[in-house]
Amino acid sequence: MSNPVQRPDVRIIPKALMMIGEEAIRSRDGLETGGILLGTDDGQEIVIRHAGGPGPKARREFHRFLRDLSHAQQLAELAWREDQSQWIGEWHTHPSGDVTPSNYDLEAYAQHLHDPELGFKRFLTIIVGITRTDEITAVAWIVDQETALPVPVAVGDDREGTPAPQSPADKDRK
Ligand SMILES: [Zn+2]
């Protein structure tokens, strides 16, 4: 039985997290920025594998961010070819520092969720509060037809293919 309200585990690959951090810091000018999130959602675990930047035609405003659609589509195609990642959500900054989705955000997500072509059952969003001072906070939200719920995000690579690092220095010490 599937329960749509149940919160999945969310994990982000370190390089995707770094991409978000770098892009957010680079655009610390009081305007929102963001990009798409690409990865896999098997129902129980969502893995964020790639995070996009805003793209050259994005519209960055004080209270909203309109992504560059063709840029997003290009990223989505590349990610699909690389590791079958799909569009699972988006991230964007809030220069106010407030990390809750705005009404504008919630309306945009509702439109995505109602668009049969996109086929979303739920939508993942990471909101990065970044003010002109040094404060950076980020909260991930799972948005479905009824609610937006904050979810904890683990940071880590896939277990397969990335064995735990064994430091040769440890052996040498013995
Ligand atoms: Zn927003």
Side-chain angles (χ1 to χ4, degrees), residues 32 92 94 102 105:
E32 291 194 4
H92 70 278
H94 277 179
S102 66
D105 293 334

PDB file of all heavy atoms in Angstrom, residues 32 92 94 102 105, ligand 1:
ATOM      1  N   GLU A  32      16.804  36.321  -6.342  1.00  0.00           N
ATOM      2  CA  GLU A  32      16.718  34.867  -6.247  1.00  0.00           C
ATOM      3  C   GLU A  32      17.471  34.204  -7.407  1.00  0.00           C
ATOM      4  O   GLU A  32      17.557  34.757  -8.507  1.00  0.00           O
ATOM      5  CB  GLU A  32      15.253  34.414  -6.288  1.00  0.00           C
ATOM      6  CG  GLU A  32      14.483  34.814  -5.054  1.00  0.00           C
ATOM      7  CD  GLU A  32      13.149  34.069  -4.939  1.00  0.00           C
ATOM      8  OE1 GLU A  32      12.862  33.188  -5.786  1.00  0.00           O
ATOM      9  OE2 GLU A  32      12.416  34.366  -3.992  1.00  0.00           O
ATOM     10  N   HIS A  92      15.996  26.839  -5.073  1.00  0.00           N
ATOM     11  CA  HIS A  92      16.175  28.265  -5.330  1.00  0.00           C
ATOM     12  C   HIS A  92      16.469  28.989  -4.024  1.00  0.00           C
ATOM     13  O   HIS A  92      16.268  28.451  -2.942  1.00  0.00           O
ATOM     14  CB  HIS A  92      14.994  28.879  -6.088  1.00  0.00           C
ATOM     15  CG  HIS A  92      13.732  28.994  -5.319  1.00  0.00           C
ATOM     16  ND1 HIS A  92      12.859  27.946  -5.167  1.00  0.00           N
ATOM     17  CD2 HIS A  92      13.175  30.037  -4.651  1.00  0.00           C
ATOM     18  CE1 HIS A  92      11.820  28.356  -4.450  1.00  0.00           C
ATOM     19  NE2 HIS A  92      11.982  29.611  -4.115  1.00  0.00           N
ATOM     20  N   HIS A  94      16.262  32.246  -1.326  1.00  0.00           N
ATOM     21  CA  HIS A  94      15.425  33.325  -0.793  1.00  0.00           C
ATOM     22  C   HIS A  94      16.359  34.333  -0.137  1.00  0.00           C
ATOM     23  O   HIS A  94      16.901  34.064   0.936  1.00  0.00           O
ATOM     24  CB  HIS A  94      14.438  32.781   0.244  1.00  0.00           C
ATOM     25  CG  HIS A  94      13.206  32.187  -0.355  1.00  0.00           C
ATOM     26  ND1 HIS A  94      12.216  31.619   0.416  1.00  0.00           N
ATOM     27  CD2 HIS A  94      12.804  32.074  -1.634  1.00  0.00           C
ATOM     28  CE1 HIS A  94      11.242  31.181  -0.371  1.00  0.00           C
ATOM     29  NE2 HIS A  94      11.581  31.428  -1.620  1.00  0.00           N
ATOM     30  N   SER A 102       7.189  30.217  -0.591  1.00  0.00           N
ATOM     31  CA  SER A 102       6.270  31.360  -0.649  1.00  0.00           C
ATOM     32  C   SER A 102       4.969  30.923  -1.322  1.00  0.00           C
ATOM     33  O   SER A 102       4.893  29.837  -1.918  1.00  0.00           O
ATOM     34  CB  SER A 102       6.898  32.483  -1.460  1.00  0.00           C
ATOM     35  OG  SER A 102       7.029  32.084  -2.819  1.00  0.00           O
ATOM     36  N   ASP A 105       5.705  30.228  -4.792  1.00  0.00           N
ATOM     37  CA  ASP A 105       6.322  28.908  -4.966  1.00  0.00           C
ATOM     38  C   ASP A 105       5.261  27.810  -4.958  1.00  0.00           C
ATOM     39  O   ASP A 105       5.254  26.927  -5.818  1.00  0.00           O
ATOM     40  CB  ASP A 105       7.311  28.626  -3.818  1.00  0.00           C
ATOM     41  CG  ASP A 105       8.517  29.541  -3.846  1.00  0.00           C
ATOM     42  OD1 ASP A 105       8.875  30.025  -4.934  1.00  0.00           O
ATOM     43  OD2 ASP A 105       9.087  29.755  -2.763  1.00  0.00           O
TER      44      ASP A 105
HETATM   45 ZN    ZN B   1      10.617  30.951  -3.303  1.00  0.00          ZN
END
